[in-house]
Amino acid sequence: MAVVAQLSPSSYTETTRLSSSQLSLSSTHLSSLRRRAFRPIIGPRNPTISCSVNQVQAPVAVERDDPKSKTNDCYGVFCLTYDLKAEEETKSWKKMVNIAVSGAAGMIANHLLFKLAAGEVLGPDQPIALKLLGSERSLQALEGVAMELEDSLFPLLREVKIGINPYELFEDAEWALLIGAKPRGPGMERAGLLDINGQIFAEQGKALNAVASRNVKVIVVGNPCNTNIPAKNFHALTRLDENRAKCQLALKAGVFYDKVSNMTIWGNHSTTQVPDFLNARINGLPVKEVIKDHKWLEEGFTETIQKRGGLLIKKWGRSSAASTSVSIVDAMKSLVTPTPEGDWFSSGVYTNGNPYGIAEDIVFSMPCRSKGDGDYELVKDVIFDDYLRKRIAKTEQELLAEKKCVAHLTGEGIAFCDLPEDTMLPGEM
């Protein structure tokens, strides 16, 4: 579920802005806009770039010593200036929301960004700015992403900024979708992968802590890191596993998947994850009352969900980028939309204060509810049996072991990696 995104101290950054007023501009105005290619600006100081419909100042090459100093540039229609507050007087636009996305040149982001820009997540009256973080290797691809976003004429997309410096891209971010991580390579031990990705997310966590909004909501497709931002604002994505579980239960019961509710994925995003059929419901009834084949639930169903990603890679020849992007959208919607009465959703969140007896201070997928304000609460009215508790204990031990593997990155001492077994999802090799 991860894509390659290696951080670099370079401060190459591009900024693009899209105006709401562009929608009423004539073709004559647009044709007078001089287009130019993205290019890095290198130097010790920041040249001023003036962007308008009729004038685009050419970049000036200078030397730069400070890797965190800023340079800004714009492209095409994103150079247009506008007064959002003035438009708010005539349209019911909301205040613009800043969304940062790492791994933005990857396949998952390629599906996700256009859903965000189209208003599928935050609504048809919510303007957004996209801050796209990539690597030196992916800069040209990011330029292509910006061009496609430009050509799509999304009225809600007011700004696009691309670059490889998280301290610039994460500034004032209200959502951070950390998709960029390194996949497991041939011969790589899982402990090594945890260390590499831990370093990536630790650096991104520092940047978020330094420049993002204090209320930023962070969804991580990988291993999250601690910062001074409230731990409750971090989510590790297990929504794709939940969606897969709902699909399989619906197929077995012969119903459409919207009849399946209260589906929980417990624990880690690995083959120890626990798809909870005990608390799930079909048409409001407990799953075990609808599906009488309990052996299938304990063995076939559980194993299918645990290994679904690997099977997809085998069939499709690539990872589940499209469905992963859909699950990110679903995860965001669950936080900005009130949870239906009696239902819940799955998210990997910090266990501090959990009512289930799970060890504190780890990120663990659990059942959550939201009032639609971006926050959540853990569900208390769940039931357990010996089967469920045993499976939860196994995934808990794995996560505790993984935490020790990255202790040197979280400031908790010397790393000691003694994973109980290799439970990397099939296909991630």
Side-chain angles (χ1 to χ4, degrees):
M1 189 180 291
V3 292
V4 176
Q6 296 176 337
L7 296 182
S8 165
S10 170
S11 61
Y12 180 104
T13 302
E14 302 287 352
T15 303
T16 54
R17 294 184 181 275
L18 173 63
S19 102
S20 54
S21 60
Q22 83 174 76
L23 300 177
S24 60
L25 286 175
S26 68
S27 59
T28 301
H29 283 157
L30 287 177
S31 63
S32 68
L33 182 62
R34 294 166 51 197
R35 293 176 176 267
R36 54 192 168 76
F38 289 84
R39 56 178 62 86
I41 302 175
I42 306 173
R45 57 191 177 83
N46 298 328
T48 300
I49 305 279
S50 173
C51 297
S52 65
V53 174
N54 297 313
Q55 177 183 356
V56 179
Q57 180 177 325
V60 180
V62 288
E63 296 181 358
R64 169 165 300 113
D65 297 319
D66 181 4
K68 294 181 183 178
S69 61
K70 294 185 178 181
T71 59
N72 294 316
D73 203 359
C74 57
Y75 178 81
V77 294
F78 290 113
C79 290
L80 300 175
T81 57
Y82 61 93
D83 187 344
L84 184 59
K85 290 184 178 179
E87 265 203 27
E88 287 174 343
E89 296 178 1
T90 57
K91 293 184 178 181
S92 58
W93 297 121
K94 297 178 181 177
K95 181 181 177 182
M96 187 167 67
V97 170
N98 292 310
I99 304 176
V101 182
S102 74
M107 290 295 295
I108 296 173
N110 187 257
H111 293 277
L112 174 63
L113 297 176
F114 295 86
K115 294 179 180 294
L116 294 171
E120 290 186 26
V121 182
L122 301 181
D125 59 348
Q126 178 60 71
I128 66 170
L130 290 175
K131 311 298 179 67
L132 310 182
L133 179 68
S135 65
E136 290 181 345
R137 186 169 56 182
S138 68
L139 275 173
Q140 185 171 331
L142 281 179
E143 294 168 8
V145 171
M147 291 172 67
E148 277 211 279
L149 288 168
E150 177 189 43
D151 294 344
S152 298
L153 299 180
F154 291 114
L156 295 172
L157 183 58
R158 305 311 180 87
E159 180 180 333
V160 174
K161 184 176 182 180
I162 70 174
I164 61 176
N165 187 340
Y167 288 88
E168 294 181 21
L169 274 298
F170 291 171
E171 186 171 3
D172 298 324
E174 292 154 275
W175 286 89
L177 310 178
L178 306 186
I179 303 172
K182 184 178 179 62
R184 190 178 191 182
M188 181 182 292
E189 295 293 334
R190 191 171 187 208
L193 184 66
L194 287 171
D195 182 68
I196 292 171
N197 284 339
Q199 292 181 53
I200 291 174
F201 287 119
E203 179 65 20
Q204 293 178 357
K206 291 176 184 177
L208 285 170
N209 187 58
V211 300
S213 164
R214 293 301 86 191
N215 294 319
V216 64
K217 301 297 183 290
V218 186
I219 296 179
V220 185
V221 185
N223 299 302
C225 52
N226 282 312
T227 71
N228 291 331
I229 295 170
K232 198 173 184 182
N233 289 22
F234 284 80
H235 296 260
L237 186 72
T238 55
R239 187 56 169 268
L240 179 55
D241 303 304
E242 176 188 327
N243 289 352
R244 288 169 171 169
K246 286 182 175 179
C247 176
Q248 294 305 310
L249 290 176
L251 285 171
K252 186 69 171 180
V255 300
F256 200 58
Y257 53 76
D258 64 345
K259 305 301 182 184
V260 182
S261 64
N262 303 81
M263 187 65 229
T264 307
I265 300 295
W266 295 91
N268 199 4
H269 176 65
S270 74
T271 56
T272 68
Q273 65 175 269
V274 186
D276 181 0
F277 55 82
L278 181 64
N279 288 282
R281 292 179 171 271
I282 298 175
N283 279 320
L285 298 173
V287 164
K288 294 180 74 172
E289 292 183 14
V290 178
I291 299 175
K292 303 296 185 179
D293 188 350
H294 296 175
K295 182 178 180 181
W296 176 83
L297 289 171
E298 293 183 0
E299 298 177 6
F301 166 68
T302 298
E303 184 175 346
T304 294
I305 305 310
Q306 291 173 337
K307 298 182 178 180
R308 178 77 167 183
L311 179 60
L312 188 145
I313 290 174
K314 183 178 179 180
K315 299 283 188 181
W316 184 221
R318 63 185 68 174
S319 61
S320 50
S323 55
T324 299
S325 70
V326 170
S327 69
I328 295 171
V329 168
D330 289 342
M332 294 178 70
K333 284 183 176 179
S334 291
L335 294 173
V336 299
T337 306
T339 306
E341 185 68 27
D343 201 0
W344 59 68
F345 59 91
S346 302
S347 188
V349 296
Y350 280 93
T351 52
N352 299 1
N354 77 88
Y356 317 118
I358 297 168
E360 298 268 309
D361 204 28
I362 57 175
V363 176
F364 199 96
S365 184
M366 299 180 285
C368 304
R369 289 194 183 108
S370 177
K371 296 178 181 178
D373 56 0
D375 203 352
Y376 68 92
E377 62 181 10
L378 295 178
V379 177
K380 296 180 180 179
D381 49 336
V382 294
I383 58 176
F384 298 90
D385 61 9
D386 290 342
Y387 173 88
L388 184 57
R389 288 193 181 279
K390 182 179 179 180
R391 294 300 180 99
I392 288 176
K394 181 178 181 180
T395 196
E396 176 187 21
Q397 289 304 309
E398 180 183 68
L399 282 165
L400 288 170
E402 286 189 4
K403 183 181 178 183
K404 293 178 182 178
C405 289
V406 293
H408 60 302
L409 299 174
T410 58
E412 298 178 66
I414 300 174
F416 175 74
C417 208
D418 184 23
L419 295 173
E421 59 183 283
D422 191 342
T423 52
M424 183 67 67
L425 289 175
E428 294 184 346
M429 294 291 291

